[in-house]
Amino acid sequence: MIEIRGLHKYFGALHVLRGIDLDVPKGEVLSVIGASGSGKSTLLYCINGLEPIQKGAIRVDGTDVHAKGTNLNKLRQRMGMVFQQWNSFPHLTALENVALAPRIVKGKSRAEAREIAAYQLQHVGLGDKLNAYPNALSGGQQQRLAIARALAMEPDYMLFDEATSALDPELVGEVLDTMRVLAEEGMTMICVTHEMGFARDVSDRVAYFHEGVIAEIGPPTQIFGAPRSELTRKFLAKVR
């Protein structure tokens, strides 16, 4: 479980997260929606230890992410993260990109790392692109490559930071389909997303962020069908 208690995050004088309390149990798909600047992506960066926090605690399976003695590199092996930009190594093939971390970080043999990479690329629908270089892939394929790279570390959790926001509209569907497959397989996922259809169809719960707080959280049927917060109603009226 990911447990968040009393989380506060500042950027200088800007109070970005204002007392977040949240539990994400194993196997849950949580979609985080809200306007730009509401703190959604910052939450993921804090969970993964990429941003320091000023107050509160984040625990992953009981490990305090921001405690001084925590080995963040080891902890991050259990939390795959997919960013808005795919950040592939342009001089490596798809197979080499995905095999790199298992070999360097987890100490797998070259042959074993390549076997893992081939499996995960097949998993995300890129089995025919093992020897392709990133510049020969579409944006959607490059983002699926990024997902395969995260999965190659065999994480317990996947964090998606607006994984489709940099894609042309016609490429969004193939990435969302890959995320749907992971959800169906039981992967625990926190998805910051602007894709309301995905949030409605795939999530176990949806959290609406407004100015650094969780204004409302609940199952998709409630959030999209009968939101209790006026803030949620106003947001959904704008994005539908």
Side-chain angles (χ1 to χ4, degrees), residues 98-139:
V98 178
L100 189 63
R103 188 164 59 85
I104 300 298
V105 179
K106 300 192 82 170
K108 302 287 187 182
S109 69
R110 184 178 296 272
E112 190 177 5
R114 289 173 70 87
E115 184 178 338
I116 292 168
Y119 172 80
Q120 293 298 351
L121 286 165
Q122 183 73 40
H123 191 186
V124 302
L126 293 176
D128 61 339
K129 301 292 184 182
L130 303 187
N131 296 313
Y133 287 90
N135 63 4
L137 301 177
S138 70

Side-chain angles (χ1 to χ4, degrees), residues 26-174:
K26 282 280 181 69
E28 180 174 76
V29 178
L30 174 70
S31 287
V32 182
I33 64 173
S36 297
S38 59
K40 309 183 302 298
S41 295
T42 300
L43 175 70
L44 296 189
Y45 280 66
C46 291
I47 291 172
N48 208 28
L50 293 170
E51 282 288 348
I53 65 175
Q54 280 68 54
K55 187 178 179 182
I58 301 172
R59 294 181 179 87
V60 176
D61 295 337
T63 299
D64 189 334
V65 175
H66 294 273
K68 286 186 178 180
T70 297
N71 185 334
L72 278 178
N73 288 332
K74 186 174 181 180
L75 185 64
R76 286 178 186 140
Q77 293 179 32
R78 297 165 53 199
M79 292 188 288
M81 188 156 180
V82 179
F83 300 87
Q84 295 177 33
Q85 299 295 335
W86 32 88
N87 301 318
S88 300
F89 292 104
H91 64 292
L92 300 179
T93 65
L95 186 71
E96 291 166 340
N97 262 287
V98 178
L100 189 63
R103 188 164 59 85
I104 300 298
V105 179
K106 300 192 82 170
K108 302 287 187 182
S109 69
R110 184 178 296 272
E112 190 177 5
R114 289 173 70 87
E115 184 178 338
I116 292 168
Y119 172 80
Q120 293 298 351
L121 286 165
Q122 183 73 40
H123 191 186
V124 302
L126 293 176
D128 61 339
K129 301 292 184 182
L130 303 187
N131 296 313
Y133 287 90
N135 63 4
L137 301 177
S138 70
Q141 289 170 334
Q142 290 196 53
Q143 192 61 292
R144 284 187 284 152
L145 169 59
I147 294 172
R149 191 173 54 198
L151 291 174
M153 295 298 289
E154 301 176 321
D156 297 313
Y157 304 93
M158 286 289 287
L159 311 177
F160 290 90
D161 182 19
E162 298 182 13
T164 60
S165 66
L167 300 177
D168 293 332
E170 66 270 18
L171 301 176
V172 168
E174 62 190 64

Side-chain angles (χ1 to χ4, degrees), residues 198-221:
F198 173 86
R200 183 175 55 247
D201 297 341
V202 179
S203 309
D204 296 298
R205 287 190 300 162
V206 177
Y208 169 57
F209 267 52
H210 179 76
E211 295 182 356
V213 301
I214 299 177
E216 186 169 0
I217 186 168
T221 51

Side-chain angles (χ1 to χ4, degrees), residues 163-239:
T164 60
S165 66
L167 300 177
D168 293 332
E170 66 270 18
L171 301 176
V172 168
E174 62 190 64
V175 175
L176 293 180
D177 286 345
T178 300
M179 294 168 67
R180 284 188 176 94
V181 169
L182 296 180
E184 290 167 0
E185 293 172 348
M187 175 62 75
T188 311
M189 298 161 58
I190 303 178
C191 308
V192 170
T193 183
H194 291 298
E195 300 293 336
M196 296 301 127
F198 173 86
R200 183 175 55 247
D201 297 341
V202 179
S203 309
D204 296 298
R205 287 190 300 162
V206 177
Y208 169 57
F209 267 52
H210 179 76
E211 295 182 356
V213 301
I214 299 177
E216 186 169 0
I217 186 168
T221 51
Q222 174 206 316
I223 298 297
F224 292 102
R228 296 169 184 166
S229 167
E230 181 63 23
L231 291 170
T232 310
R233 286 193 287 272
K234 287 181 178 179
F235 172 75
L236 291 175
K238 292 177 182 177
V239 298

